[in-house]
Amino acid sequence: MKKKKIVAIYTGNRAEYGLQYPIIKAISKHPDLEYRLIVSGAHLQNNFGKTKKEIENDGFKIHSEVKLDMPDDNLISTATAIGSGILRLSQVLKKMKPDIFVVYADRFEGFSALITSTQMGIPTVHLEGGDITEGGALDDMVRHSMTKLAHIHFTTNDDAKKRIIKMGEEPWRVKTVGFPTIDLIEDKYYATPAALVKKYGISLDKPIVLFTQHSIPTEIEDTLKQIRPSIKACTVLAQKGFQVILTYPNNDAGGQRIIKELEKLKKKNLPNIFVIPSLGRYNYHGVLNLCGNVTGGACVGNSSSGIKETPPLKCAFINIGRRQQGRLRAKNVIDVGYNTNQIVTAVEKSTYDKKFIRQCQTCKNPYGEGKSGKKVADFLAKLKIDLKLIQKKMTY
């Protein structure tokens, strides 16, 4: 009987897991693969919604938990987290002995994991490399560093693939598979309008704003200056009859400062304001579907999910500030500054301007059309693990 390849998959935060879900699912169902799921970072933190429960509710077995040390809300703690992750994950991988290790994107949790696996000689797969984000979130530095360490690269678009090859990676190591979360959207695997009404008490008769704004680590001292105009815009929109759902940011340095502002807003008990730590992927996509196809409204903030996950759901994205500067995007995006009036005007345009609404409904999605999970699983099942894979060459 043919031995299955053991594929260890690492996830360190809610957004990343939502993107990985189709891949974990495809690997778990593949006859030649066996998964081992390692959960870390914000998944294990109560103040970020402890999203480990979402993973368990999806039916996946968690094989190991790796706690990261983040004593404070600053960049020193980010470095501490990376170091603690390396020390603890190395012991997990030593016992687990996976044939392949899979890491996603551009965050410090994944960076820590990828350093560990590559330095242990474990064939490592990196997803979503080659993208560009020039907005000060450290993403580019981390993402491109991960690319140079990883052995196999799955990209979401052909521009990213070309960029990785120009970085000196051998072309056979790079494959465009599209954006994994589109698998779920194409399958309509998200909460129904009725389920969302029952769960959150929202109405289908009023437009919805789904708001998430993260901190920018290189501009951490400006975090409050950046979030307060946005929260003010949310209160103005609520007064105008919009239902505004505000979710917590991720656990980047500065995130705790944003959470405190959101909690202050929550305590005011304002009509049409809903502060929810984490919707989870299933409900998040369900709300985007409401904005794009049912109630009208928009996704607002500076999350990459607004850039990449709104086009297939025909939802407008109001992009605040510089964090997503340089990202490949569709024509459903309106860029605004940290300015209350600009944000309110853009949301109203996305809700009432018929020409822009048509633009959102017909825009081309640059991140593929689904089936990413199957593409990744099939590739890994056929991947030959040998010295050619481990010993990388610089082609440039």
Side-chain angles (χ1 to χ4, degrees):
M1 185 176 176
K2 184 179 178 182
K3 182 183 175 183
K4 292 186 177 183
K5 285 179 182 164
I6 304 298
V7 182
I9 305 163
Y10 177 93
T11 178
N13 68 84
R14 70 183 185 198
E16 174 194 82
Y17 168 68
L19 307 178
Q20 290 172 304
Y21 176 92
I23 292 165
I24 302 170
K25 185 178 178 183
I27 289 173
S28 70
K29 290 177 176 280
H30 201 286
D32 298 326
L33 302 173
E34 200 170 305
Y35 81 97
R36 298 287 185 273
L37 190 56
I38 302 170
V39 171
S40 185
H43 285 305
L44 309 178
Q45 295 176 253
N46 285 321
N47 55 341
F48 286 93
K50 201 165 187 183
T51 45
K52 168 189 168 186
K53 193 175 290 279
E54 179 187 347
I55 299 172
E56 293 171 332
N57 290 342
D58 281 337
F60 294 126
K61 180 179 178 181
I62 296 173
H63 298 85
S64 188
E65 296 179 14
V66 177
K67 184 177 181 297
L68 304 185
D69 294 334
M70 288 197 74
D72 295 301
D73 188 30
N74 55 38
L75 291 174
I76 295 172
S77 287
T78 303
T80 302
I82 291 171
S84 64
I86 291 170
L87 292 172
R88 290 175 184 147
L89 181 59
S90 61
Q91 296 306 308
V92 170
L93 294 179
K94 180 181 177 182
K95 292 178 183 176
M96 194 175 280
K97 295 182 173 60
D99 297 302
I100 301 169
F101 188 67
V102 177
V103 185
Y104 205 99
D106 50 27
R107 290 185 50 77
F108 66 87
E109 304 98 334
F111 187 33
S112 172
L114 193 140
I115 291 171
T116 307
S117 62
T118 54
Q119 293 307 297
M120 292 178 70
I122 300 170
T124 299
V125 173
H126 180 217
L127 290 120
E128 208 178 311
D131 281 7
I132 293 177
T133 315
E134 301 166 339
L138 303 179
D139 291 5
D140 276 3
M141 287 187 289
V142 171
R143 186 188 306 110
H144 302 328
S145 296
M146 292 170 76
T147 290
K148 293 311 298 179
L149 288 169
H151 303 102
I152 294 293
H153 316 281
F154 291 122
T155 65
T156 64
N157 60 87
D158 286 332
D159 285 353
K161 177 180 179 179
K162 291 172 186 174
R163 207 169 283 121
I164 287 176
I165 292 171
K166 285 182 178 180
M167 289 168 69
E169 295 295 295
E170 297 166 277
W172 66 267
R173 296 181 184 273
V174 193
K175 181 175 178 61
T176 299
V177 297
F179 189 53
T181 229
I182 293 174
D183 294 17
L184 305 177
I185 294 171
E186 288 297 314
D187 290 341
K188 298 190 183 304
Y189 186 67
Y190 45 78
T192 64
L196 292 168
V197 168
K198 183 177 180 180
K199 187 174 181 67
Y200 299 114
I202 57 178
S203 168
L204 300 183
D205 296 324
K206 295 188 286 187
I208 293 173
V209 169
L210 178 51
F211 175 86
T212 307
Q213 186 167 321
H214 303 298
S215 61
I216 298 178
T218 56
E219 301 173 11
I220 189 170
E221 296 307 319
D222 293 329
T223 299
L224 294 181
K225 280 194 247 178
Q226 293 170 351
I227 189 62
R228 284 172 176 163
S230 299
I231 290 179
K232 176 64 175 174
C234 288
T235 60
V236 171
L237 288 163
Q239 291 166 357
K240 287 174 174 276
F242 286 81
Q243 301 169 100
V244 185
I245 300 173
L246 302 95
T247 70
Y248 278 12
N250 59 32
N251 59 336
D252 279 340
Q256 291 291 346
R257 303 176 199 193
I258 293 176
I259 288 174
K260 287 179 181 177
E261 294 297 306
L262 293 177
E263 286 303 308
K264 285 180 191 175
L265 176 65
K266 185 177 181 180
K267 287 177 182 177
K268 293 180 180 179
N269 291 314
L270 299 175
N272 292 327
I273 293 285
F274 306 80
V275 177
I276 303 169
S278 175
L279 287 170
R281 176 208 68 254
Y282 186 74
N283 293 318
Y284 183 82
H285 288 155
V287 175
L288 289 182
N289 176 57
L290 291 184
C291 295
N293 299 297
V294 182
T295 63
C299 179
V300 180
N302 64 0
S303 172
S304 62
S305 64
I307 296 281
K308 295 181 286 188
E309 296 171 46
T310 55
L313 288 164
K314 303 178 178 13
C315 175
F317 178 50
I318 313 307
N319 178 47
I320 301 173
R322 290 168 29 84
R323 195 174 193 271
Q324 297 304 326
Q325 186 172 310
R327 280 270 191 202
L328 180 68
R329 78 263 305 273
K331 292 183 178 180
N332 66 322
V333 180
I334 300 175
D335 293 304
V336 297
Y338 302 108
N339 181 288
T340 297
N341 290 335
Q342 288 181 17
I343 296 167
V344 171
T345 299
V347 169
E348 291 181 326
K349 177 179 179 178
S350 70
T351 309
Y352 304 120
D353 185 321
K354 291 183 179 179
K355 183 178 179 181
F356 185 70
I357 291 170
R358 281 196 300 274
Q359 187 169 306
C360 293
Q361 291 173 339
T362 58
C363 66
K364 183 180 179 182
N365 178 19
Y367 291 101
E369 298 176 354
K371 297 186 172 53
S372 299
K374 185 177 187 307
K375 292 172 187 175
V376 169
D378 288 345
F379 187 97
L380 296 182
K382 296 174 184 176
L383 181 65
K384 186 176 181 180
I385 299 174
D386 55 12
L387 285 178
K388 181 184 177 184
L389 176 63
I390 295 296
Q391 295 176 348
K392 293 181 64 177
K393 294 180 180 177
M394 171 66 77
T395 61
Y396 181 72

